[in-house]
Amino acid sequence: MQHTWSLLAWLCGLVPGLLGVSWGADFRHHRYEDMVRALFAVQSECPYITRIYSIGRSVEGRHLYVLEFTDNPGVHEALEPEFKYVGNMHGNEVLGRELLIKLAQFLCEEYQARNQRITRLIYDTRIHILPSMNPDGYEVAARQGPELNGYLVGRGNARDIDLNRNFPDLNALMYYYEKTNGRNHHLPLPDNWEQQVEPETLAVIKWMQNYNFVLSANLHGGAVVANYPFDKSRDPRIRGRTTYAATADDKLFRKLAKTYSYAHSWMHKGWNCGDYFDEGITNGASWYSLSKGMQDFNYLYSNCFEITLELSCDKFPAASALPREWLANREALVSYLEQVHHGIKGIIYDENNNPVGKAEISVAGVNHDVTSGADGDYFRLLLPGTYTVTASAAGYLPSTTTVTVGPAEAILLNFYLKPAPKQSLKVKPHKRNLSSHKAPLKLGPR
């Protein structure tokens, strides 16, 4: 115990004021070691609702640390949705990194102050905060600092690879499947994909495989707008032409983007950084087409709905601008997080009340399914309305019901699946005088 307290004292003592009331004045840029100390300081101040873990290392060996907030850290509780914020994917876009460090401090402070809204959010949600996906690129940008930082210096990782162009391209496969009535979710990864991506990208994909994330946002800079999928256009690239690429959940994504935009102090006004985006939102491909991006990958590979938040005209704002930016984004960060609790959720059971994992939940009229997790629980974000929902799993008969979703919290909708009857093959005796002209063999749906 004495050794533990000595370690905590060292971590916190190196950053005066990180513990206690003086957090409010801690607006500054955090180099890697400072960021790690700040995260551990939050964990030590709120030990019962936080956990720090690493999802991997960068090219140069820096840990990609995540700070988790929940009432039972380290454990997925059935029907408690998983949420993630990812910052600093581009190393020189630093505001998201600082906002997420500040958000972690804010959640801890407000929990200690018994803020009912924040306390309920922490008790009912498993929140994962990755302040920096690209710590190596950040260090390159930070060495130049806000005054001299170039538009591209430090954008990529240590190998100068743009991480937001580094995920497997599932869009091309999805667009093909749309024409052939193929699979609409959890698309397969290409062969040898692990050798085709950077260590930071690999770590995030493995992270997504280990946690059943429901909602996410990744924080960028260089504009002020909430960007939603698809980022990649369905049409071939033509210079000077942009084409809206809607997902099956286009209306829902627009609502998610507006939630952040209108809770932000000025994003919703549209005119920012010399650009205009109506209501402060944009479809990615309508802005410009982007291949192998993270938000499209989330939607096509997992159950997670992700948008990209462009938060500042200046990619590396001066430290003096951070308090104003925090106040502009604080409510938006919380309001967006709360959206994870809308739609429907439930548990898929078999006839013996055992949970059924990897069951598919489909919504009539929305060509994008989600799957249940290992505990049999599922989460399906939906706008208010009446829906016909079907749960199905291999070896079971599908179950369909109708549900009405309101504007408040998610509706609990459990499914109980009955085993499919075993089909016995009955072999008819051959007749010797069969016609030589046989009807073609018909195969059932697979």
Side-chain angles (χ1 to χ4, degrees), residues 217-237:
N218 70 88
L219 282 55
H220 289 245
V224 178
V225 64
N227 177 103
Y228 56 92
F230 284 122
D231 266 335
K232 183 175 181 178
S233 173
R234 286 178 172 84
D235 302 321
R237 291 186 180 182

Side-chain angles (χ1 to χ4, degrees), residues 25-326:
D26 186 44
F27 286 104
R28 60 192 182 82
H29 290 292
H30 292 74
R31 299 290 287 263
Y32 177 74
E33 292 79 7
D34 296 332
M35 179 186 72
V36 172
R37 293 181 190 118
L39 295 179
F40 274 92
V42 173
Q43 201 280 324
S44 66
E45 183 71 2
C46 290
Y48 301 112
I49 58 165
T50 59
R51 176 177 71 109
I52 291 179
Y53 63 98
S54 172
I55 62 171
R57 290 179 181 265
S58 66
V59 170
E60 295 181 342
R62 295 180 175 90
H63 276 289
L64 304 179
Y65 281 119
V66 175
L67 179 59
E68 173 189 336
F69 279 86
T70 187
D71 60 333
N72 194 5
V75 178
H76 171 75
E77 298 180 68
L79 298 177
E80 186 173 282
E82 309 266 356
F83 177 97
K84 62 181 166 72
Y85 270 132
V86 178
N88 201 206
M89 185 182 197
H90 291 144
N92 64 332
E93 297 172 11
V94 306
L95 179 58
R97 175 189 179 111
E98 299 307 326
L99 290 178
L100 292 182
I101 294 171
K102 192 63 187 174
L103 176 64
Q105 296 171 346
F106 173 77
L107 292 175
C108 178
E109 286 178 333
E110 295 303 304
Y111 175 81
Q112 290 178 325
R114 300 183 181 180
N115 179 319
Q116 290 187 356
R117 182 187 184 193
I118 299 303
T119 298
R120 186 179 183 189
L121 200 54
I122 291 173
Y123 281 177
D124 294 345
T125 324
R126 196 175 180 200
I127 306 164
H128 304 258
I129 299 174
L130 173 62
S132 181
M133 181 181 166
N134 186 4
D136 297 352
Y138 176 87
E139 293 302 309
V140 173
R143 281 195 287 270
Q144 289 200 343
E147 296 80 11
L148 301 176
N149 188 256
Y151 199 77
L152 296 175
V153 175
R155 176 183 175 90
N157 68 354
R159 295 174 181 152
D160 202 24
I161 300 298
D162 187 331
L163 299 179
N164 206 31
R165 312 290 191 280
N166 190 238
F167 284 78
D169 184 2
L170 299 183
N171 292 75
L173 184 59
M174 179 64 201
Y175 297 160
Y176 170 76
Y177 281 165
E178 286 179 337
K179 299 175 183 177
T180 59
N181 199 29
R183 191 173 181 83
N184 64 27
H185 66 103
H186 292 79
L187 303 189
L189 296 175
D191 294 337
N192 300 319
W193 68 272
E194 293 188 25
Q195 284 72 48
Q196 300 171 21
V197 300
E198 293 298 297
E200 297 89 348
T201 309
L202 177 64
V204 168
I205 294 175
K206 294 288 188 182
W207 188 32
M208 292 165 57
Q209 292 174 338
N210 292 328
Y211 295 84
N212 187 17
F213 291 114
V214 179
L215 183 62
S216 172
N218 70 88
L219 282 55
H220 289 245
V224 178
V225 64
N227 177 103
Y228 56 92
F230 284 122
D231 266 335
K232 183 175 181 178
S233 173
R234 286 178 172 84
D235 302 321
R237 291 186 180 182
I238 299 175
R239 175 167 290 189
R241 175 182 171 186
T242 58
T243 307
Y244 197 113
T247 67
D249 288 282
D250 186 63
K251 292 181 180 179
L252 174 59
F253 270 119
R254 288 176 59 85
K255 166 65 162 52
L256 292 171
K258 286 181 184 179
T259 296
Y260 198 96
S261 176
Y262 276 92
H264 188 280
S265 294
W266 57 81
M267 183 182 289
H268 61 280
K269 295 179 180 178
W271 286 109
N272 296 292
C273 317
D275 295 321
Y276 178 75
F277 298 99
D278 189 31
E279 297 188 281
I281 69 172
T282 186
N283 171 259
S286 181
W287 187 9
Y288 62 90
S289 184
L290 180 161
S291 294
K292 302 183 179 180
M294 184 164 70
Q295 71 174 11
D296 287 8
F297 182 85
N298 270 267
Y299 184 69
L300 296 175
Y301 181 66
S302 75
N303 290 321
C304 190
F305 287 55
E306 178 172 284
I307 68 173
T308 301
L309 299 170
E310 302 281 352
L311 297 177
S312 59
C313 302
D314 189 346
K315 291 192 173 192
F316 205 128
S320 59
L322 297 180
R324 177 175 180 262
E325 294 288 357
W326 165 244

Side-chain angles (χ1 to χ4, degrees), residues 360 362 389-393 395-401 415-420:
E360 296 184 353
S362 59
V389 184
T390 300
S392 58
Y396 297 91
L397 294 173
S399 176
T400 301
T401 190
F415 286 90
Y416 297 85
L417 302 183
K418 297 179 180 180

Side-chain angles (χ1 to χ4, degrees), residues 421-439:
K422 295 181 180 180
Q423 296 180 347
S424 58
L425 297 176
K426 295 182 179 179
V427 180
K428 294 183 179 180
H430 288 284
K431 294 182 180 180
R432 300 194 179 189
N433 60 345
L434 286 176
S435 168
S436 60
H437 298 286
K438 297 180 180 180

